[in-house]
């Protein structure tokens, strides 16, 4: 259970850091396109352009931390061997425990259902985002990043509730 919690927290932090890492790149490309089409002045471009190097450092640190955690956890559980299915899904049941397999399956179904519903909600709110949010790019980047986070949190909560029964 502790390994699952650490894995999900690391993956959520990785997704958030990736969204923060990508936001300046997306904003910079939009500003460059607007500058090339003479929609904005060069002064406006220079004032509003962001540099993504500062946002890259936490992202790469979290990538390395995730890779190290999954690698070390996989080797520890399997007597030094690395199983590919554990790298993709580290919480997979290898002990042939029927109850844990059922809990994992039900949690995955619940997480998938919530992601589908949330994606529908985010897409339906998207046309209204131009009215409420100043920057549509920020909304789109962080809305896309929110989907896997919601799925992972749903999986974790469902797994813990079903495991405690």
């Amino acid at each position: 259970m502790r390994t699952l919690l650490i894995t999900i927290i690391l993956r959520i932090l990785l997704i958030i850091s990736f969204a923060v890492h990508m936001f300046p790149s997306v904003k910079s490309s939009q500003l460059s396109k607007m500058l090339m089409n003479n929609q904005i002045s060069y002064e406006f471009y220079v004032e509003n352009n962001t540099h993504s190097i500062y946002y890259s450092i936490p992202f790469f640190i979290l990538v390395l931390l995730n890779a190290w955690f999954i690698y070390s956890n996989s080797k520890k559980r399997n007597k030094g061997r690395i199983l590919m299915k554990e790298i993709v899904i580290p919480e997979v049941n290898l002990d042939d425990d029927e109850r844990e397999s059922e809990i994992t399956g039900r949690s995955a179904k619940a997480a998938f259902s919530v992601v589908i519903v949330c994606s529908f909600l985010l897409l339906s709110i998207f046309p209204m985002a131009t009215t409420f949010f100043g920057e549509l790019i920020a909304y789109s980047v962080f809305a896309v990043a929110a989907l896997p986070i919601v799925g992972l949190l749903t999986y974790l909560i469902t797994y813990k509730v079903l495991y405690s029964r």
Side-chain angles (χ1 to χ4, degrees):
M1 183 65 76
R2 193 180 107 207
T3 305
L4 176 64
L5 181 66
I6 292 171
T7 303
I8 288 180
I9 288 172
L10 282 174
R11 287 184 184 177
I12 287 173
L13 289 174
L14 182 66
I15 292 167
I16 290 171
S17 68
F18 183 70
V20 170
H21 169 71
M22 286 308 298
F23 174 68
S25 301
V26 172
K27 184 175 182 179
S28 177
S29 88
Q30 184 195 31
L31 287 173
S32 298
K33 186 183 268 186
M34 291 172 76
L35 180 66
M36 296 303 272
N37 292 335
N38 293 327
Q39 295 174 340
I40 59 172
S41 65
Y42 181 73
E43 291 79 22
F44 183 83
Y45 174 77
V46 171
E47 287 175 10
N48 292 306
N49 199 5
T50 56
H51 302 287
S52 64
I53 188 68
Y54 303 114
Y55 303 106
S56 302
I57 295 167
F59 172 68
F60 289 117
I61 288 171
L62 283 168
V63 166
L64 291 174
L65 190 62
N66 266 303
W68 171 79
F69 182 75
I70 291 170
Y71 175 78
S72 66
N73 212 16
S74 178
K75 284 192 79 149
K76 190 185 328 175
R77 266 196 277 191
N78 302 315
K79 301 176 185 90
R81 293 178 301 138
I82 298 173
L83 299 178
M84 204 58 195
K85 65 181 178 179
E86 269 207 34
I87 291 175
V88 177
I89 307 170
E91 61 273 2
V92 73
N93 178 25
L94 295 176
D95 301 327
D96 295 327
D97 184 10
E98 284 187 30
R99 180 176 176 263
E100 199 165 332
S101 297
E102 184 179 336
I103 290 171
T104 303
R106 291 169 87 188
S107 300
K109 286 177 189 176
F112 182 71
S113 301
V114 168
V115 166
I116 294 294
V117 170
C118 283
S119 62
F120 172 73
L121 290 174
L122 284 173
L123 286 174
S124 62
I125 292 173
F126 200 82
M128 294 183 284
T130 54
T131 308
F132 298 115
F133 298 105
E135 290 192 37
L136 190 61
I137 293 175
Y139 174 76
S140 60
V141 168
F142 291 110
V144 168
L147 286 174
I149 292 172
V150 167
L152 286 170
L153 288 175
T154 303
Y155 180 84
L156 178 66
I157 292 168
T158 309
Y159 191 89
K160 283 190 168 228
V161 166
L162 292 174
Y163 195 79
S164 66
R165 289 185 186 172

